CSV table of all heavy atoms in Angstrom, one decimal:
chain,number,residue,atom,x,y,z
T,106,ALA,N,8.1,3.0,13.9
T,106,ALA,CA,6.8,3.8,14.2
T,106,ALA,C,6.9,4.5,15.5
T,106,ALA,O,6.1,5.5,15.7
T,106,ALA,CB,5.7,2.8,14.2
T,107,GLY,N,7.6,4.1,16.5
T,107,GLY,CA,7.7,4.8,17.8
T,107,GLY,C,6.4,4.5,18.5
T,107,GLY,O,5.7,3.5,18.4
T,108,THR,N,6.0,5.5,19.3
T,108,THR,CA,4.8,5.4,20.1
T,108,THR,C,3.7,6.2,19.4
T,108,THR,O,3.7,7.4,19.4
T,108,THR,CB,5.0,6.0,21.5
T,108,THR,OG1,5.4,7.3,21.4
T,108,THR,CG2,6.0,5.2,22.3
T,109,LEU,N,2.8,5.5,18.8
T,109,LEU,CA,1.7,6.1,18.0
T,109,LEU,C,0.3,5.4,18.5
T,109,LEU,O,0.3,4.3,18.8
T,109,LEU,CB,1.8,5.8,16.5
T,109,LEU,CG,3.0,6.4,15.8
T,109,LEU,CD1,3.1,5.7,14.4
T,109,LEU,CD2,2.8,7.9,15.7
T,110,GLY,N,-0.7,6.3,18.4
T,110,GLY,CA,-2.0,5.7,18.6
T,110,GLY,C,-2.5,5.2,17.3
T,110,GLY,O,-2.0,5.5,16.3
T,111,SER,N,-3.6,4.3,17.4
T,111,SER,CA,-4.1,3.7,16.1
T,111,SER,C,-4.6,4.8,15.1
T,111,SER,O,-4.6,4.5,13.9
T,111,SER,CB,-5.2,2.7,16.5
T,111,SER,OG,-6.3,3.4,17.1
T,112,HIS,N,-5.0,5.9,15.6
T,112,HIS,CA,-5.5,6.9,14.6
T,112,HIS,C,-4.4,7.7,13.9
T,112,HIS,O,-4.6,8.4,12.9
T,112,HIS,CB,-6.4,8.0,15.4
T,112,HIS,CG,-7.7,7.4,15.9
T,112,HIS,ND1,-8.7,6.9,15.1
T,112,HIS,CD2,-8.1,7.1,17.2
T,112,HIS,CE1,-9.6,6.4,15.8
T,112,HIS,NE2,-9.3,6.5,17.1
T,113,ASP,N,-3.2,7.6,14.4
T,113,ASP,CA,-2.0,8.2,13.8
T,113,ASP,C,-1.3,7.2,12.8
T,113,ASP,O,-0.2,7.6,12.3
T,113,ASP,CB,-1.0,8.7,14.8
T,113,ASP,CG,-1.6,9.7,15.8
T,113,ASP,OD1,-2.4,10.5,15.3
T,113,ASP,OD2,-1.4,9.6,17.0
T,114,PHE,N,-1.7,6.0,12.7
T,114,PHE,CA,-1.0,4.9,12.1
T,114,PHE,C,-1.2,5.0,10.5
T,114,PHE,O,-2.2,4.7,10.0
T,114,PHE,CB,-1.5,3.6,12.6
T,114,PHE,CG,-0.5,2.5,12.6
T,114,PHE,CD1,0.4,2.5,13.6
T,114,PHE,CD2,-0.6,1.5,11.7
T,114,PHE,CE1,1.3,1.4,13.6
T,114,PHE,CE2,0.3,0.5,11.7
T,114,PHE,CZ,1.3,0.4,12.7
T,115,ARG,N,-0.2,5.5,9.8
T,115,ARG,CA,-0.2,5.6,8.4
T,115,ARG,C,0.6,4.4,7.7
T,115,ARG,O,1.1,3.6,8.4
T,115,ARG,CB,0.5,6.9,8.0
T,115,ARG,CG,-0.1,8.2,8.6
T,115,ARG,CD,0.6,9.4,8.1
T,115,ARG,NE,2.0,9.2,8.2
T,115,ARG,CZ,2.8,9.9,9.0
T,115,ARG,NH1,2.4,10.7,9.9
T,115,ARG,NH2,4.1,9.7,9.0
T,116,TRP,N,0.6,4.5,6.4
T,116,TRP,CA,1.2,3.4,5.6
T,116,TRP,C,2.7,3.3,6.0
T,116,TRP,O,3.3,2.2,6.1
T,116,TRP,CB,1.0,3.4,4.1
T,116,TRP,CG,1.6,4.7,3.5
T,116,TRP,CD1,0.9,5.8,3.1
T,116,TRP,CD2,2.9,5.0,3.1
T,116,TRP,NE1,1.7,6.7,2.6
T,116,TRP,CE2,3.0,6.3,2.6
T,116,TRP,CE3,4.1,4.2,3.2
T,116,TRP,CZ2,4.1,6.8,2.1
T,116,TRP,CZ3,5.3,4.8,2.7
T,116,TRP,CH2,5.3,6.1,2.2
T,117,ASP,N,3.4,4.4,6.2
T,117,ASP,CA,4.8,4.4,6.5
T,117,ASP,C,5.0,3.7,7.9
T,117,ASP,O,6.0,3.0,8.1
T,117,ASP,CB,5.5,5.7,6.4
T,117,ASP,CG,4.7,6.8,7.2
T,117,ASP,OD1,3.5,6.7,7.5
T,117,ASP,OD2,5.4,7.9,7.5
T,118,HIS,N,4.1,4.0,8.8
T,118,HIS,CA,4.2,3.3,10.1
T,118,HIS,C,3.9,1.8,10.0
T,118,HIS,O,4.5,1.0,10.6
T,118,HIS,CB,3.2,4.0,11.1
T,118,HIS,CG,3.4,5.4,11.3
T,118,HIS,ND1,2.5,6.3,11.2
T,118,HIS,CD2,4.6,6.1,11.6
T,118,HIS,CE1,3.0,7.5,11.4
T,118,HIS,NE2,4.3,7.4,11.7
T,119,ALA,N,2.9,1.5,9.1
T,119,ALA,CA,2.5,0.1,8.8
T,119,ALA,C,3.7,-0.7,8.3
T,119,ALA,O,3.9,-1.8,8.7
T,119,ALA,CB,1.4,0.0,7.9
T,120,ILE,N,4.5,0.0,7.4
T,120,ILE,CA,5.7,-0.7,6.9
T,120,ILE,C,6.7,-1.0,8.0
T,120,ILE,O,7.2,-2.1,8.2
T,120,ILE,CB,6.3,0.1,5.8
T,120,ILE,CG1,5.4,0.1,4.6
T,120,ILE,CG2,7.7,-0.5,5.4
T,120,ILE,CD1,5.8,1.1,3.5
T,121,ALA,N,7.0,0.0,8.8
T,121,ALA,CA,7.9,-0.2,9.9
T,121,ALA,C,7.4,-1.2,10.9
T,121,ALA,O,8.2,-2.1,11.4
T,121,ALA,CB,8.2,1.2,10.7
T,122,PHE,N,6.1,-1.2,11.2
T,122,PHE,CA,5.5,-2.2,12.1
T,122,PHE,C,5.6,-3.5,11.5
T,122,PHE,O,5.9,-4.5,12.2
T,122,PHE,CB,4.1,-1.7,12.5
T,122,PHE,CG,3.3,-2.7,13.3
T,122,PHE,CD1,3.6,-3.0,14.6
T,122,PHE,CD2,2.3,-3.5,12.7
T,122,PHE,CE1,2.9,-3.9,15.4
T,122,PHE,CE2,1.6,-4.4,13.5
T,122,PHE,CZ,1.9,-4.7,14.8
T,123,ALA,N,5.2,-3.7,10.3
T,123,ALA,CA,5.3,-5.0,9.6
T,123,ALA,C,6.7,-5.6,9.6
T,123,ALA,O,6.9,-6.7,9.7
T,123,ALA,CB,4.7,-4.9,8.2
T,124,ARG,N,7.7,-4.7,9.3
T,124,ARG,CA,9.1,-5.1,9.3
T,124,ARG,C,9.4,-5.8,10.6
T,124,ARG,O,10.0,-6.8,10.7
T,124,ARG,CB,10.0,-4.0,9.0
T,124,ARG,CG,11.4,-4.4,8.7
T,124,ARG,CD,12.3,-3.3,8.4
T,124,ARG,NE,12.0,-2.7,7.1
T,124,ARG,CZ,11.5,-1.4,7.0
T,124,ARG,NH1,11.4,-0.6,8.0
T,124,ARG,NH2,11.2,-1.0,5.8
T,125,TRP,N,9.0,-5.1,11.7
T,125,TRP,CA,9.2,-5.7,13.1
T,125,TRP,C,8.4,-6.9,13.3
T,125,TRP,O,8.9,-7.9,13.8
T,125,TRP,CB,8.9,-4.6,14.1
T,125,TRP,CG,9.0,-5.1,15.5
T,125,TRP,CD1,10.1,-5.3,16.3
T,125,TRP,CD2,7.9,-5.6,16.3
T,125,TRP,NE1,9.8,-5.8,17.5
T,125,TRP,CE2,8.4,-6.0,17.5
T,125,TRP,CE3,6.5,-5.7,16.1
T,125,TRP,CZ2,7.6,-6.5,18.6
T,125,TRP,CZ3,5.7,-6.3,17.1
T,125,TRP,CH2,6.3,-6.7,18.3
T,126,LEU,N,7.1,-6.8,13.0
T,126,LEU,CA,6.2,-7.9,13.4
T,126,LEU,C,6.4,-9.2,12.6
T,126,LEU,O,6.5,-10.3,13.1
T,126,LEU,CB,4.7,-7.5,13.1
T,126,LEU,CG,3.7,-8.6,13.3
T,126,LEU,CD1,3.5,-8.9,14.8
T,126,LEU,CD2,2.3,-8.1,12.7
T,127,LEU,N,6.6,-9.0,11.3
T,127,LEU,CA,6.7,-10.2,10.4
T,127,LEU,C,8.1,-10.8,10.3
T,127,LEU,O,8.2,-12.0,9.8
T,127,LEU,CB,6.2,-9.8,9.0
T,127,LEU,CG,4.8,-9.3,8.9
T,127,LEU,CD1,4.4,-8.9,7.5
T,127,LEU,CD2,3.8,-10.3,9.5
T,128,GLY,N,9.1,-10.1,10.6
T,128,GLY,CA,10.5,-10.6,10.6
T,128,GLY,C,10.8,-11.2,9.3
T,128,GLY,O,10.7,-10.6,8.3
T,129,PRO,N,11.0,-12.6,9.3
T,129,PRO,CA,11.4,-13.2,8.1
T,129,PRO,C,10.3,-13.3,7.0
T,129,PRO,O,10.5,-13.7,5.9
T,129,PRO,CB,11.8,-14.6,8.5
T,129,PRO,CG,11.1,-14.8,9.8
T,129,PRO,CD,11.0,-13.5,10.5
T,130,TYR,N,9.0,-13.0,7.5
T,130,TYR,CA,7.9,-13.0,6.5
T,130,TYR,C,7.6,-11.7,5.9
T,130,TYR,O,6.7,-11.5,5.1
T,130,TYR,CB,6.7,-13.5,7.2
T,130,TYR,CG,6.8,-14.9,7.7
T,130,TYR,CD1,7.1,-15.2,9.1
T,130,TYR,CD2,6.8,-16.0,6.9
T,130,TYR,CE1,7.3,-16.4,9.6
T,130,TYR,CE2,7.0,-17.3,7.4
T,130,TYR,CZ,7.2,-17.5,8.7
T,130,TYR,OH,7.4,-18.8,9.2
T,131,PHE,N,8.4,-10.7,6.2
T,131,PHE,CA,8.3,-9.4,5.6
T,131,PHE,C,8.6,-9.4,4.1
T,131,PHE,O,9.5,-10.1,3.7
T,131,PHE,CB,9.2,-8.3,6.3
T,131,PHE,CG,9.0,-6.9,5.9
T,131,PHE,CD1,7.9,-6.2,6.3
T,131,PHE,CD2,9.9,-6.3,5.0
T,131,PHE,CE1,7.7,-4.9,5.9
T,131,PHE,CE2,9.7,-5.0,4.6
T,131,PHE,CZ,8.6,-4.3,5.0
T,132,PRO,N,7.9,-8.7,3.3
T,132,PRO,CA,8.1,-8.8,1.8
T,132,PRO,C,9.5,-8.4,1.4
T,132,PRO,O,10.2,-7.6,2.1
T,132,PRO,CB,7.1,-7.8,1.2
T,132,PRO,CG,6.1,-7.7,2.3
T,132,PRO,CD,6.7,-7.9,3.6
T,133,ALA,N,10.0,-9.0,0.4
T,133,ALA,CA,11.4,-8.7,-0.1
T,133,ALA,C,11.4,-7.3,-0.7
T,133,ALA,O,12.5,-6.6,-0.7
T,133,ALA,CB,11.8,-9.7,-1.2
T,134,GLU,N,10.3,-6.8,-1.1
T,134,GLU,CA,10.3,-5.4,-1.8
T,134,GLU,C,9.0,-4.7,-1.4
T,134,GLU,O,7.9,-5.3,-1.5
T,134,GLU,CB,10.4,-5.6,-3.3
T,134,GLU,CG,10.4,-4.4,-4.1
T,134,GLU,CD,10.5,-4.7,-5.6
T,134,GLU,OE1,11.3,-5.5,-6.0
T,134,GLU,OE2,9.7,-4.1,-6.3
T,135,VAL,N,9.0,-3.5,-1.0
T,135,VAL,CA,7.9,-2.6,-0.8
T,135,VAL,C,8.1,-1.3,-1.5
T,135,VAL,O,9.1,-0.6,-1.2
T,135,VAL,CB,7.6,-2.4,0.7
T,135,VAL,CG1,6.4,-1.5,0.9
T,135,VAL,CG2,7.4,-3.7,1.4
T,136,ASP,N,7.2,-1.0,-2.4
T,136,ASP,CA,7.3,0.3,-3.1
T,136,ASP,C,6.0,1.1,-2.9
T,136,ASP,O,5.0,0.5,-2.5
T,136,ASP,CB,7.5,0.1,-4.6
T,136,ASP,CG,8.8,-0.6,-5.0
T,136,ASP,OD1,9.8,-0.2,-4.5
T,136,ASP,OD2,8.8,-1.5,-5.8
T,137,VAL,N,6.1,2.4,-3.1
T,137,VAL,CA,4.9,3.2,-2.8
T,137,VAL,C,4.7,4.2,-4.0
T,137,VAL,O,5.7,4.7,-4.6
T,137,VAL,CB,5.1,4.0,-1.5
T,137,VAL,CG1,3.9,5.0,-1.3
T,137,VAL,CG2,5.3,3.2,-0.3
T,138,VAL,N,3.5,4.3,-4.4
T,138,VAL,CA,3.1,5.3,-5.4
T,138,VAL,C,2.2,6.3,-4.7
T,138,VAL,O,1.2,5.9,-4.1
T,138,VAL,CB,2.3,4.7,-6.6
T,138,VAL,CG1,1.8,5.7,-7.6
T,138,VAL,CG2,3.3,3.7,-7.4
T,139,LEU,N,2.5,7.6,-4.8
T,139,LEU,CA,1.7,8.6,-4.2
T,139,LEU,C,1.2,9.6,-5.3
T,139,LEU,O,1.8,9.8,-6.2
T,139,LEU,CB,2.6,9.5,-3.2
T,139,LEU,CG,3.2,8.7,-2.0
T,139,LEU,CD1,4.2,9.6,-1.3
T,139,LEU,CD2,2.1,8.2,-1.1
T,140,ILE,N,-0.1,10.0,-5.0
T,140,ILE,CA,-0.7,10.9,-5.9
T,140,ILE,C,-1.0,12.2,-5.1
T,140,ILE,O,-1.8,12.2,-4.1
T,140,ILE,CB,-2.1,10.3,-6.4
T,140,ILE,CG1,-1.8,9.0,-7.1
T,140,ILE,CG2,-2.8,11.3,-7.4
T,140,ILE,CD1,-3.1,8.1,-7.4
T,141,GLU,N,-0.5,13.3,-5.5
T,141,GLU,CA,-0.7,14.6,-4.9
T,141,GLU,C,-2.1,15.0,-4.9
T,141,GLU,O,-2.7,15.1,-6.0
T,141,GLU,CB,0.2,15.7,-5.5
T,141,GLU,CG,0.2,17.0,-4.8
T,141,GLU,CD,0.8,17.0,-3.4
T,141,GLU,OE1,1.7,16.1,-3.1
T,141,GLU,OE2,0.5,17.9,-2.6
T,142,GLY,N,-2.7,15.3,-3.7
T,142,GLY,CA,-4.1,15.7,-3.7
T,142,GLY,C,-4.3,17.2,-3.6
T,142,GLY,O,-3.3,17.9,-3.4
T,143,ALA,N,-5.5,17.6,-3.8
T,143,ALA,CA,-5.8,19.0,-3.8
T,143,ALA,C,-6.9,19.3,-2.7
T,143,ALA,O,-6.8,20.3,-2.0
T,143,ALA,CB,-6.4,19.5,-5.1
T,144,SER,N,-7.9,18.4,-2.6
T,144,SER,CA,-9.0,18.7,-1.6
T,144,SER,C,-9.3,17.4,-0.8
T,144,SER,O,-9.5,16.4,-1.4
T,144,SER,CB,-10.2,19.0,-2.5
T,144,SER,OG,-11.4,19.1,-1.6
T,145,PHE,N,-9.2,17.6,0.5
T,145,PHE,CA,-9.4,16.5,1.4
T,145,PHE,C,-10.6,16.7,2.3
T,145,PHE,O,-10.7,16.1,3.4
T,145,PHE,CB,-8.1,16.3,2.3
T,145,PHE,CG,-6.9,15.9,1.4
T,145,PHE,CD1,-6.1,16.9,0.9
T,145,PHE,CD2,-6.6,14.6,1.1
T,145,PHE,CE1,-5.0,16.5,0.2
T,145,PHE,CE2,-5.6,14.2,0.4
T,145,PHE,CZ,-4.7,15.2,-0.1
T,146,GLY,N,-11.6,17.5,1.9
T,146,GLY,CA,-12.8,17.7,2.7
T,146,GLY,C,-13.7,16.5,2.7
T,146,GLY,O,-13.8,15.8,1.7
T,147,TYR,N,-14.4,16.4,3.8
T,147,TYR,CA,-15.4,15.3,3.9
T,147,TYR,C,-16.5,15.5,2.9
T,147,TYR,O,-17.0,16.6,2.7
T,147,TYR,CB,-16.0,15.3,5.3
T,147,TYR,CG,-15.1,14.7,6.4
T,147,TYR,CD1,-14.4,15.6,7.3
T,147,TYR,CD2,-15.0,13.4,6.4
T,147,TYR,CE1,-13.6,15.0,8.2
T,147,TYR,CE2,-14.1,12.8,7.4
T,147,TYR,CZ,-13.4,13.7,8.3
T,147,TYR,OH,-12.6,13.1,9.2
T,148,GLY,N,-16.8,14.5,2.2
T,148,GLY,CA,-17.8,14.5,1.1
T,148,GLY,C,-17.4,15.0,-0.2
T,148,GLY,O,-18.2,14.9,-1.2
T,149,ASP,N,-16.2,15.5,-0.3
T,149,ASP,CA,-15.7,16.0,-1.6
T,149,ASP,C,-15.5,14.8,-2.6
T,149,ASP,O,-15.2,13.7,-2.2
T,149,ASP,CB,-14.3,16.7,-1.5
T,149,ASP,CG,-14.4,18.0,-0.7
T,149,ASP,OD1,-15.6,18.5,-0.5
T,149,ASP,OD2,-13.4,18.6,-0.4
T,150,ALA,N,-15.7,15.1,-3.9
T,150,ALA,CA,-15.3,14.1,-4.9
T,150,ALA,C,-13.9,14.2,-5.2
T,150,ALA,O,-13.2,15.2,-4.8
T,150,ALA,CB,-16.2,14.4,-6.2
T,151,LEU,N,-13.3,13.3,-6.0
T,151,LEU,CA,-11.9,13.5,-6.5
T,151,LEU,C,-11.9,14.7,-7.3
T,151,LEU,O,-12.7,15.0,-8.2
T,151,LEU,CB,-11.5,12.3,-7.4
T,151,LEU,CG,-11.2,10.9,-6.7
T,151,LEU,CD1,-10.8,9.9,-7.8
T,151,LEU,CD2,-10.1,11.1,-5.7
T,152,SER,N,-10.8,15.5,-7.1
T,152,SER,CA,-10.6,16.7,-7.9
T,152,SER,C,-10.2,16.2,-9.4
T,152,SER,O,-9.7,15.1,-9.6
T,152,SER,CB,-9.5,17.6,-7.3
T,152,SER,OG,-8.3,16.9,-7.3
T,153,PRO,N,-10.5,17.1,-10.4
T,153,PRO,CA,-10.1,16.7,-11.8
T,153,PRO,C,-8.6,16.4,-11.9
T,153,PRO,O,-8.3,15.4,-12.6
T,153,PRO,CB,-10.5,17.9,-12.6
T,153,PRO,CG,-11.6,18.6,-11.8
T,153,PRO,CD,-11.2,18.3,-10.3
T,154,ALA,N,-7.7,17.1,-11.3
T,154,ALA,CA,-6.3,16.8,-11.4
T,154,ALA,C,-6.0,15.4,-10.8
T,154,ALA,O,-5.1,14.7,-11.3
T,154,ALA,CB,-5.5,17.9,-10.7
T,155,VAL,N,-6.6,15.1,-9.6
T,155,VAL,CA,-6.3,13.8,-9.0
T,155,VAL,C,-7.0,12.7,-9.8
T,155,VAL,O,-6.4,11.6,-9.9
T,155,VAL,CB,-6.8,13.8,-7.5
T,155,VAL,CG1,-6.7,12.4,-6.9
T,155,VAL,CG2,-5.9,14.8,-6.7
T,156,GLU,N,-8.1,13.0,-10.4
T,156,GLU,CA,-8.7,11.9,-11.3
T,156,GLU,C,-7.7,11.6,-12.4
T,156,GLU,O,-7.6,10.4,-12.7
T,156,GLU,CB,-10.0,12.5,-11.9
T,156,GLU,CG,-10.7,11.6,-12.8
T,156,GLU,CD,-11.3,10.3,-12.1
T,156,GLU,OE1,-11.9,10.4,-11.1
T,156,GLU,OE2,-11.1,9.2,-12.7
T,157,ARG,N,-7.1,12.6,-13.0
T,157,ARG,CA,-6.1,12.3,-14.0
T,157,ARG,C,-4.9,11.5,-13.4
T,157,ARG,O,-4.3,10.6,-14.1
T,157,ARG,CB,-5.6,13.6,-14.7
T,157,ARG,CG,-6.7,14.2,-15.6
T,157,ARG,CD,-6.2,15.4,-16.4
T,157,ARG,NE,-5.8,16.5,-15.5
T,157,ARG,CZ,-6.6,17.5,-15.1
T,157,ARG,NH1,-7.9,17.4,-15.3
T,157,ARG,NH2,-6.1,18.4,-14.3
T,158,GLY,N,-4.5,11.9,-12.2
T,158,GLY,CA,-3.4,11.2,-11.6
T,158,GLY,C,-3.7,9.8,-11.3
T,158,GLY,O,-2.9,8.9,-11.4
T,159,VAL,N,-5.0,9.5,-10.9
T,159,VAL,CA,-5.5,8.2,-10.6
T,159,VAL,C,-5.3,7.3,-11.9
T,159,VAL,O,-4.9,6.2,-11.9
T,159,VAL,CB,-6.9,8.2,-10.1
T,159,VAL,CG1,-7.6,6.8,-10.2
T,159,VAL,CG2,-6.9,8.6,-8.6
T,160,GLU,N,-5.8,7.9,-13.0
T,160,GLU,CA,-5.7,7.2,-14.3
T,160,GLU,C,-4.3,6.8,-14.7
T,160,GLU,O,-4.0,5.7,-15.1
T,160,GLU,CB,-6.4,8.0,-15.4
T,160,GLU,CG,-7.9,8.1,-15.3
T,160,GLU,CD,-8.5,6.7,-15.2
T,160,GLU,OE1,-8.2,5.8,-15.9
T,160,GLU,OE2,-9.4,6.6,-14.3
T,161,ARG,N,-3.3,7.8,-14.4
T,161,ARG,CA,-1.9,7.5,-14.7
T,161,ARG,C,-1.4,6.4,-13.7
T,161,ARG,O,-0.6,5.5,-14.1
T,161,ARG,CB,-1.1,8.8,-14.5
T,161,ARG,CG,-1.4,9.8,-15.7
T,161,ARG,CD,-0.7,11.1,-15.6
T,161,ARG,NE,0.7,11.0,-15.2
T,161,ARG,CZ,1.3,11.7,-14.3
T,161,ARG,NH1,0.6,12.6,-13.6
T,161,ARG,NH2,2.6,11.5,-14.0
T,162,ALA,N,-1.8,6.5,-12.5
T,162,ALA,CA,-1.4,5.5,-11.5
T,162,ALA,C,-1.9,4.1,-11.9
T,162,ALA,O,-1.2,3.1,-11.7
T,162,ALA,CB,-1.9,5.9,-10.1
T,163,VAL,N,-3.2,4.0,-12.3
T,163,VAL,CA,-3.8,2.7,-12.8
T,163,VAL,C,-2.9,2.2,-13.9
T,163,VAL,O,-2.6,1.0,-13.9
T,163,VAL,CB,-5.2,2.9,-13.2
T,163,VAL,CG1,-5.7,1.7,-14.0
T,163,VAL,CG2,-6.1,3.2,-12.0
T,164,ALA,N,-2.5,3.0,-14.9
T,164,ALA,CA,-1.7,2.5,-16.0
T,164,ALA,C,-0.3,2.0,-15.4
T,164,ALA,O,0.2,1.0,-15.9
T,164,ALA,CB,-1.5,3.6,-17.0
T,165,LEU,N,0.3,2.7,-14.5
T,165,LEU,CA,1.6,2.4,-14.0
T,165,LEU,C,1.5,1.0,-13.2
T,165,LEU,O,2.3,0.1,-13.4
T,165,LEU,CB,2.0,3.5,-13.0
T,165,LEU,CG,3.4,3.3,-12.4
T,165,LEU,CD1,4.4,4.2,-13.2
T,165,LEU,CD2,3.4,3.7,-11.0
T,166,VAL,N,0.5,0.9,-12.4
T,166,VAL,CA,0.3,-0.4,-11.6
T,166,VAL,C,-0.1,-1.5,-12.5
T,166,VAL,O,0.4,-2.7,-12.4
T,166,VAL,CB,-0.8,-0.2,-10.5
T,166,VAL,CG1,-1.0,-1.5,-9.8
T,166,VAL,CG2,-0.3,0.9,-9.5
T,167,THR,N,-0.9,-1.3,-13.6
T,167,THR,CA,-1.2,-2.3,-14.6
T,167,THR,C,0.1,-2.8,-15.2
T,167,THR,O,0.2,-4.1,-15.4
T,167,THR,CB,-2.2,-1.8,-15.6
T,167,THR,OG1,-3.4,-1.4,-14.9
T,167,THR,CG2,-2.5,-2.8,-16.7
T,168,GLU,N,1.0,-2.0,-15.5
T,168,GLU,CA,2.3,-2.4,-16.1
T,168,GLU,C,3.0,-3.3,-15.1
T,168,GLU,O,3.6,-4.3,-15.5
T,168,GLU,CB,3.2,-1.2,-16.5
T,168,GLU,CG,2.7,-0.4,-17.7
T,168,GLU,CD,3.5,0.8,-18.0
T,168,GLU,OE1,4.7,0.9,-17.4
T,168,GLU,OE2,3.1,1.7,-18.7
T,169,ARG,N,3.0,-2.9,-13.9
T,169,ARG,CA,3.7,-3.7,-12.9
T,169,ARG,C,3.0,-5.1,-12.7
T,169,ARG,O,3.7,-6.1,-12.6
T,169,ARG,CB,3.7,-2.9,-11.5
T,169,ARG,CG,4.3,-3.6,-10.4
T,169,ARG,CD,5.9,-3.3,-10.4
T,169,ARG,NE,6.5,-3.9,-9.3
T,169,ARG,CZ,6.8,-3.3,-8.2
T,169,ARG,NH1,6.5,-2.0,-8.0
T,169,ARG,NH2,7.4,-3.9,-7.2
T,170,ILE,N,1.7,-5.1,-12.7
T,170,ILE,CA,1.0,-6.4,-12.6
T,170,ILE,C,1.3,-7.3,-13.8
T,170,ILE,O,1.4,-8.5,-13.6
T,170,ILE,CB,-0.5,-6.1,-12.5
T,170,ILE,CG1,-0.9,-5.5,-11.1
T,170,ILE,CG2,-1.3,-7.4,-12.7
T,170,ILE,CD1,-2.3,-5.0,-11.0
Side-chain angles (χ1 to χ4, degrees):
T108 58
L109 294 168
S111 62
H112 294 290
D113 300 320
F114 210 77
R115 303 180 315 249
W116 61 261
D117 50 339
H118 302 127
I120 292 169
F122 175 70
R124 187 178 296 116
W125 172 83
L126 175 73
L127 300 177
Y130 299 101
F131 186 76
E134 179 182 315
V135 179
D136 296 313
V137 179
V138 172
L139 299 172
I140 305 166
E141 184 70 23
S144 172
F145 296 91
Y147 285 102
D149 291 350
L151 285 181
S152 64
V155 171
E156 179 66 45
R157 290 187 295 276
V159 162
E160 291 306 317
R161 291 177 43 226
V163 167
L165 184 100
V166 176
T167 299
E168 288 176 18
R169 182 81 179 266
I170 289 171

